[in-house]
Structures are given as C-alpha cells and as structure tokens.
C-alpha cells in the first residue's frame, strides 16, 4: 500500500463532500455514513475493488436518473460512471459495462466518448482496452428480470458500482429529489440487487438519499432530508432509498464520488487513471449536446447540480493536486491525462 494513503483519502473525501451548492443534504448523510461505515469511504471502495476484481473480470456500473416532467437524463451520474469505468479498465484491467435507463443510453455513450473511452459491444470490450459497453437496463419490470437473469448468467460481474442510480423506497416506489414518483420510467435495479450472489462486491455513490446504497442511512434520510419520510406522490413512504450496498460513498455531486473512487484507485494501484479538467468539461458539454439537462436548474447548458462547468473542473483539479502532492507522485510522474 502506498504511503500517505490516509491523508489522500481524507482530503479527497473532504473535497467531494463539501456543500458547495448549498443543497443541505450531504452533511447529514456523510456524517451518518462515517458513523456506520467508518471514515474514508472512497478509499475503502478502492481497496475493496482492488481486492475483489481480477484482470479480465467484468464490472457492472449502474447510473441513470431521469428528471420530470420530460424524463430526461440529468448530467449528474454519467460522468461519474465514466470516471469509474476508466479506472476499472486501466487500474484493474477489467471490463466495464455501463447500464442505464434506455432513454439515457445515447447520453451515456456521448459522455463515454468524450471521456476518452471507445463505446463497443460487450464482447468487443473484453478484447479492447480503453473501451466500455453501454447497455439499456429496462424500466419494464418483466424485461428487467430477463436482463438481470441474462447478465448474471452470461457476464457474472465481480462487482457492481452504482453512481447516482435511482432506488426504490421501502414500498418499492422510485422518487426524484422533489418527492415525486418516477417509477414507471426508471430502471428496475431492485431486480438486480435482490438476485446478486453474496460474493459480488457492491459499491454505491449518492448525494440526496434516494439513490442505491442509501439504505445504509435510511433513518437519517427520513429524519434530515426534505421529503425523506413524506413524499409528494401519496405512497406515504418518503424518498429514502431502501437498497443497501457493501460500501456507500457519499458526495455533494455524485459525479465527484465517482471521481473520488477513481482517484483512490489511482493511489492504491499507482496507476494514472483520473482524467484532466478539460476532459471533465468536454464530458459535460457532450452530455448536454446529447440532451442531458441540469437536474437542479434544467437546460442543456453543461451545468450539473446547479453549478457551472468551472466548478466541476475546479473540484477535479483539486483532486488531481492531492494525488500529485502525495508521496508516490512526487518527482513529476503523471497522474492521468
């Protein structure tokens, strides 16, 4: 293990859980996660992934959150998923598959291409580095069941990583952050988690309490987050997600949580995997040009969670500086492209 691991982990997590956008969700969630799971969740995730995933294994990366009323994919999620996919490909020599809502496939493909990954079919990915497969995870429950059966039997993933992936509450209803029911158009990922073998590592990233993994802090979400215990759709169960994973990485913006995992994998494996700020901006722009919108303010303006591209570039720049300044990178070695 590289020296200075604890310092890198602490600073990266502090950066990615700073409430820059003043949404008032991350501090109660991150505090509860650390109390239940321990400190430095992104480094925990990187270390567990490094141990669980072997060369040529497949890692399934879930993302996708559709914003009403038009039910369009938001900009938070795809970038973090691509960041994780890059790290899985380069640092672990594994084969990433991104699975998202059918309506989000084009956006995730555009984001992956902007993120310097070739988008290929599942079989081709296993024979080509710097590549990823992007697949639709059905919203129809019966089709979702068939997809889960197929992917578990044919792919047998070593790990499943969810980045800003909508999850159902304890009554099985999927909600957006405003407390409205988005179940009909949302990928039924509960079908996957109910069938995953116990030896498959599960990691999740979220920011508001209604995402996969937030079952770990369900009570906190119900007590501290608006609509957590009482939504606006009438189901009576609130937005708090009911799916728990082996590890939960909280982040102010879920994309940043994906970047944090990638940064920590870079540190653990001493492999340059984290993209540079210019690539971050390009991914935001290309996702927007493909139709993705800012989940807070709307519009295809390359913003994410109410913040302009400059803010996201700055966070990435700071994460990269943490890596550059750490023991294993002193002397001018590169940390990524």
């Amino acid at each position: 293990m590289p020296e200075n691991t604890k310092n890198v982990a602490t600073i990266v997590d502090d950066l990615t859980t700073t409430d820059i956008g003043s949404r008032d969700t991350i501090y109660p969630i991150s505090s509860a996660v650390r109390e239940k799971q321990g400190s430095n969740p992104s480094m925990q995730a990187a270390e567990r992934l490094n141990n669980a995933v072997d060369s040529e294994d497949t890692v399934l990366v879930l993302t996708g959150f559709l914003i009403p009323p038009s039910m369009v994919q938001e900009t938070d999620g795809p970038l973090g998923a691509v960041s994780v996919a890059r790290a899985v490909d380069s640092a672990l020599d594994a084969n990433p598959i991104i699975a998202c809502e059918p309506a989000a496939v084009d956006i995730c493909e555009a984001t992956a291409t902007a993120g310097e990954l070739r988008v290929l079919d599942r079989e081709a990915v296993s024979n080509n580095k710097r590549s990823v497969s992007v697949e639709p995870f059905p919203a129809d429950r019966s089709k979702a069941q068939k997809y889960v059966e197929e992917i578990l039997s044919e792919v047998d993933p070593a790990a499943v990583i969810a980045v800003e992936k909508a999850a159902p509450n304890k009554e099985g209803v999927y909600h957006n952050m405003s407390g409205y029911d988005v179940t009909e158009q949302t990928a039924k990922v509960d079908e996957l988690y109910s069938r995953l073998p116990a030896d498959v590592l599960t990691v999740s990233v979220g920011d508001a309490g209604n995402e996969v993994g937030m079952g770990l802090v369900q009570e906190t979400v119900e007590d501290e987050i608006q609509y957590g215990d009482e939504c606006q759709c009438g189901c009576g169960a609130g937005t708090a997600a009911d799916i728990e994973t082996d590890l939960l990485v909280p982040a102010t913006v879920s994309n940043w949580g994906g970047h944090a995992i990638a940064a920590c994998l870079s540190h653990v494996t001493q492999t340059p995997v984290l993209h540079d700020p210019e690539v971050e901006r390009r991914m935001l722009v290309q996702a927007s040009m493909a139709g993705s919108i800012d989940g807070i303010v709307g519009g295809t303006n390359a913003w994410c969670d109410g913040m302009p591209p400059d803010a996201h570039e700055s966070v990435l720049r700071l994460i990269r500086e943490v890596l550059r300044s750490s023991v294993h990178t002193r002397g001018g070695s590169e940390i990524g492209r």
Side-chain angles (χ1 to χ4, degrees), residues 257-270:
H259 302 342
I261 294 172
C264 289
L265 266 174
S266 182
H267 183 80
V268 168
T269 64
Q270 302 190 59

Side-chain angles (χ1 to χ4, degrees), residues 8 20 69 113 136 140 150 173 183 191 221 230 240 297 301 310-311 327:
V8 169
I20 297 172
T113 301
D140 177 83
E150 180 262 333
V173 180
T183 305
E191 295 290 347
V221 175
E230 186 174 350
V297 301
N301 54 6
D310 286 350
V327 171

Side-chain angles (χ1 to χ4, degrees), residues 108-132:
C108 288
E109 288 182 345
T111 306
T113 301
E116 304 179 320
L117 293 177
R118 287 181 294 168
V119 178
L120 305 173
D121 62 45
R122 190 188 298 175
E123 184 177 353
V125 168
S126 63
N127 298 313
N128 291 273
K129 301 307 298 175
R130 305 284 288 187
S131 64
V132 65

Side-chain angles (χ1 to χ4, degrees), residues 30-61:
S30 60
S31 295
V33 169
R34 290 184 176 107
E35 181 178 343
K36 290 194 172 188
Q37 187 175 274
S39 59
N40 309 134
S42 57
M43 188 63 75
Q44 287 189 54
E47 291 171 345
R48 291 283 297 274
L49 286 165
N50 190 42
N51 290 330
V53 179
D54 294 325
S55 178
E56 300 304 323
D57 279 349
T58 294
V59 174
L60 182 63
V61 183

Side-chain angles (χ1 to χ4, degrees), residues 69-272:
S70 56
M71 300 309 289
V72 175
Q73 171 64 43
E74 65 168 323
T75 45
D76 193 21
L79 277 74
V82 170
S83 189
V84 168
R86 284 172 53 110
V88 163
D89 174 273
S90 297
L92 302 179
D93 193 33
N95 303 314
I97 296 173
I98 294 177
C100 60
E101 272 71 13
V105 168
D106 288 349
I107 289 166
C108 288
E109 288 182 345
T111 306
T113 301
E116 304 179 320
L117 293 177
R118 287 181 294 168
V119 178
L120 305 173
D121 62 45
R122 190 188 298 175
E123 184 177 353
V125 168
S126 63
N127 298 313
N128 291 273
K129 301 307 298 175
R130 305 284 288 187
S131 64
V132 65
S133 172
V134 178
E135 303 181 355
F137 196 122
D140 177 83
R141 187 163 294 279
S142 63
K143 292 180 180 178
Q145 291 169 350
K146 292 178 181 177
Y147 177 74
V148 168
E149 292 172 2
E150 180 262 333
I151 203 163
L152 291 181
S153 62
E154 294 187 11
V155 174
D156 187 25
V160 176
I161 307 171
V163 182
E164 185 71 2
K165 185 72 214 77
N169 65 8
K170 56 192 174 186
E171 295 298 325
V173 180
Y174 292 76
H175 294 84
N176 72 338
M177 189 178 174
S178 298
Y180 293 107
D181 184 350
V182 295
T183 305
E184 183 178 354
Q185 297 92 344
T186 299
K188 302 304 183 291
V189 295
D190 56 296
E191 295 290 347
L192 173 67
Y193 285 96
S194 66
R195 290 169 169 77
L196 276 177
D199 61 346
V200 176
L201 175 65
T202 55
V203 177
S204 55
V205 180
D207 58 29
N210 54 348
E211 306 95 349
V212 167
M214 290 290 174
L216 174 70
V217 293
Q218 191 172 43
E219 292 183 3
T220 296
V221 175
E222 292 173 341
D223 292 342
E224 302 288 343
I225 307 303
Q226 186 179 26
Y227 307 120
D229 64 339
E230 186 174 350
C231 54
Q232 300 198 73
C233 79
C235 77
T239 64
D242 195 45
I243 295 178
E244 188 171 343
T245 53
D246 295 326
L247 286 166
L248 170 60
V249 178
T252 304
V253 177
S254 291
N255 287 339
W256 301 354
H259 302 342
I261 294 172
C264 289
L265 266 174
S266 182
H267 183 80
V268 168
T269 64
Q270 302 190 59
T271 304

